[in-house]
Amino acid sequence: MSDALPAGVEHREIDGTERLATRGEPVYGEPRDGEWRAWNPNRSKLGAMLELEMDTSLAGEETVLYLGAASGTTVSHVADFSGPTYAVEFAPRPARDLLEAAESRPRLFPLLADARKPETYAHVVESNVDMLVQDVATRGQARVACENARFLADDGRLLLAVKARSEDVTREPSDVFADVREELESAYDVLETRRLDDYHTDHLGIVARPR
Ligand code: SAM
């Protein structure tokens, strides 16, 4: 298992199984051990990227902009070990649950906004964030990442989960991933890619830095 986990993320034995875990209030019925709660990589692309030992550069305490927060499953773990964490979600129903996850997390800032319109939250999100984490699972995933590159510090990182079927259900995932990578390269240098299929079918994890 990875030694390169950020501070505040550990592999711990919970319910008799070694699991990725962070410290915080429970959000999705996850197993717990005291203040530690299991981070399920089958429900989290970023969790899967960490389990697969991708070099995310996460050290802990970073400023994070998270796009596609849904009801807060993954971003709640991120906020457990990060600095200010801005969580963008455009669907009102999951955003309500996200607000609940934020109640016990003073550094988690939910934003009901469309990630394709970064100008609508540019006045709230600080510039030069360390990490842009994206899991929007809609068509145009590369474009969203490129449009939000403006928020990243020069030495920041994009941690992107790409769902092939959200781009085109009829195409081979590897062809979709090649196109996404090409489009991303207008704004980023891609540092690492890894199929996440062990945890998420037809998903690709990408680590990139802004050009
Ligand atoms: N990242 C979440 C997690 O691991 O807990 C799961 C995210 S789910 C796969 C994708 C989410 O992205 C959905 O909740 C969807 O509403 C949201 N989404 C899709 N397009 C979006 C956009 N343009 N702006 C904001 N949210 C978006």
Side-chain angles (χ1 to χ4, degrees):
M1 292 198 177
S2 173
D3 290 322
L5 293 174
V9 183
E10 293 184 9
H11 282 109
R12 299 186 66 94
E13 192 175 318
I14 302 179
D15 280 1
T17 305
E18 194 83 355
R19 303 173 195 263
L20 201 64
T22 62
R23 265 179 299 201
E25 290 297 313
V27 170
Y28 53 105
E30 63 277 25
R32 308 182 67 207
D33 178 28
E35 57 185 355
W36 289 89
R37 61 192 192 104
W39 184 353
N40 185 345
N42 292 298
R43 294 187 59 175
S44 169
K45 284 81 177 201
L46 184 60
M49 289 168 76
L50 290 173
E51 287 288 36
L52 293 167
E53 302 187 6
M54 291 187 74
D55 185 2
T56 62
S57 288
L58 281 167
E61 297 296 329
E62 283 95 352
T63 306
V64 178
L65 172 59
Y66 191 108
L67 306 177
S71 51
T73 302
T74 298
V75 78
S76 62
H77 286 291
V78 172
D80 286 346
F81 66 85
S82 300
T85 301
Y86 301 94
V88 174
E89 172 55 53
F90 74 173
R93 176 68 195 87
R96 278 204 292 276
D97 295 336
L98 178 61
L99 284 173
E100 240 175 76
E103 269 171 23
S104 64
R105 294 179 171 81
R107 293 184 294 189
L108 176 57
F109 304 106
L111 300 169
L112 184 62
D114 187 337
R116 293 167 300 189
K117 298 176 183 160
E119 66 281 4
T120 62
Y121 46 87
H123 60 294
V124 181
V125 177
E126 50 198 281
S127 51
N128 297 327
V129 301
D130 303 307
M131 293 286 162
L132 174 60
V133 183
Q134 182 183 312
D135 178 22
V136 292
T138 49
R139 186 175 282 229
Q141 294 163 95
R143 193 166 57 250
V144 170
C146 291
E147 284 170 354
N148 283 272
R150 61 196 268 187
F151 294 107
L152 264 178
D154 291 345
D155 59 350
R157 291 288 184 276
L158 166 70
L159 307 179
L160 171 64
V162 180
K163 182 176 180 179
R165 275 177 288 157
S166 294
E167 297 295 336
D168 188 338
V169 282
T170 65
R171 291 184 69 207
E172 272 302 312
S174 53
D175 294 340
V176 172
F177 296 147
D179 285 357
V180 166
R181 181 178 178 142
E182 191 183 329
E183 190 174 347
L184 269 186
E185 282 172 346
S186 64
Y188 295 94
D189 290 321
V190 173
L191 303 176
E192 188 182 357
T193 64
R194 181 87 194 255
R195 292 283 294 244
L196 306 180
D197 295 71
D198 287 353
Y199 300 97
H200 302 276
T201 305
D202 295 338
H203 283 71
L204 186 73
I206 297 180
V207 180
R209 74 170 161 235
R211 277 180 186 252

